[in-house]
Amino acid sequence: MSGITHDYMEQYLRELIPSNTGILEDLEKFALENRVPIVQKETAKFLELMITMNRPKKILELGTAIGYSAILMNLTLGGLSEITTIERDEKMIELAKANIKKYGLQNKITILQGDCLEILENLTGEYDMIFMDAGKGHYNHFLPHCLRLLKKQGVLIADNVLFRGMVASKELATRRKVTIIKRMKSYLELVSNNDELITSVIPMGDGISVTVRKCKESSEEE
Ligand code: SAM
């Protein structure tokens, strides 16, 4: 049980999504066999939708793992989007590098090695889309950096924001996860109550939030 939605609904929605083939299917099998956490099927489809709608040229990802979502995001627009992705686990970095090389995507996907917060603090540049999928207990700390790095019309997507339902329900929350839950709530409150932002939280997968900046142009300027 995901703790996010009814099992029958989750199963039905997953069944609607056609199975991947080729590279993505291979990586999904590897992740399953080796218990590597990658984005859920419906989250992957949602990312593809966001990318197709927004056509981002530059995407920043927090949390590479084996490179599955980075490769998926690059392939969505046939290689148009350049991905910069941050990972601190050396074993994952090795696997992701091998996968990126295997599929000839070295010029399209760059891995920044280290802790997200430390890298974000020193990162410059502008990104059309940012996908947060690492360090659930630190999204609130990553947020100011992500907003600084996000282009004016960029999109900030965060995965796992409902964290198996624990963020919304005291009954589901476990004592060991209290800090993560508290900080995730803080993240959701920050992006929901900021007058300059619009955020929608979607109870799908493990909970996804989508944040954009409010449009400030007056009608005279249009
Ligand atoms: N986005 C990947 C995908 O769907 O293919 C999955 C990412 S996995 C859920 C999260 C990854 O973030 C793990 O590989 C973990 O090692 C990494 N991670 C967790 N906290 C981190 C941090 N503070 N800095 C850098 N990497 C971190």
Side-chain angles (χ1 to χ4, degrees), residues 1-17 40-42 203-207:
M1 200 189 110
S2 68
I4 306 292
T5 183
H6 295 290
D7 287 356
Y8 70 85
M9 185 66 72
E10 194 175 275
Q11 194 183 336
Y12 175 70
L13 295 179
R14 271 189 197 166
E15 280 167 10
L16 280 178
I17 302 171
Q40 297 183 20
K41 205 174 173 189
E42 55 273 37
M204 184 173 70
D206 196 28

Side-chain angles (χ1 to χ4, degrees), residues 178-212:
V178 152
T179 306
I180 293 184
I181 297 166
K182 211 169 127 194
R183 291 186 183 166
M184 193 58 94
K185 278 187 177 176
S186 156
Y187 174 78
L188 289 176
E189 280 157 22
L190 286 169
V191 289
S192 301
N193 298 326
N194 183 323
D195 284 344
E196 299 195 347
L197 304 175
I198 303 180
T199 294
S200 186
V201 181
I202 305 162
M204 184 173 70
D206 196 28
I208 304 169
S209 69
V210 183
T211 300
V212 294

Side-chain angles (χ1 to χ4, degrees), residues 37-39 61 63-65 68-69 87-89 114-116 133-135:
I38 59 169
V39 283
E61 174 182 66
T64 318
Y68 175 77
S69 51
E87 176 62 56
R88 69 176 176 195
D89 182 311
D115 183 82
C116 285
D133 193 21

Side-chain angles (χ1 to χ4, degrees), residues 15 21 55 71 77 84 100 122 125 135 162 176 206 216 219:
E15 280 167 10
T21 54
R55 304 189 66 78
I71 292 174
L77 297 181
T84 302
I100 290 164
N122 297 303
L162 296 175
R176 280 178 55 226
D206 196 28
K216 284 208 176 144
S219 52

Side-chain angles (χ1 to χ4, degrees), residues 133-140 142 159-161 163-164 179-181 183-184 187 206:
D133 193 21
K136 284 185 273 294
H138 295 283
Y139 282 14
N140 54 338
F142 300 155
D159 195 14
N160 310 109
V161 294
F163 194 33
R164 302 176 211 155
T179 306
I180 293 184
I181 297 166
R183 291 186 183 166
M184 193 58 94
Y187 174 78
D206 196 28

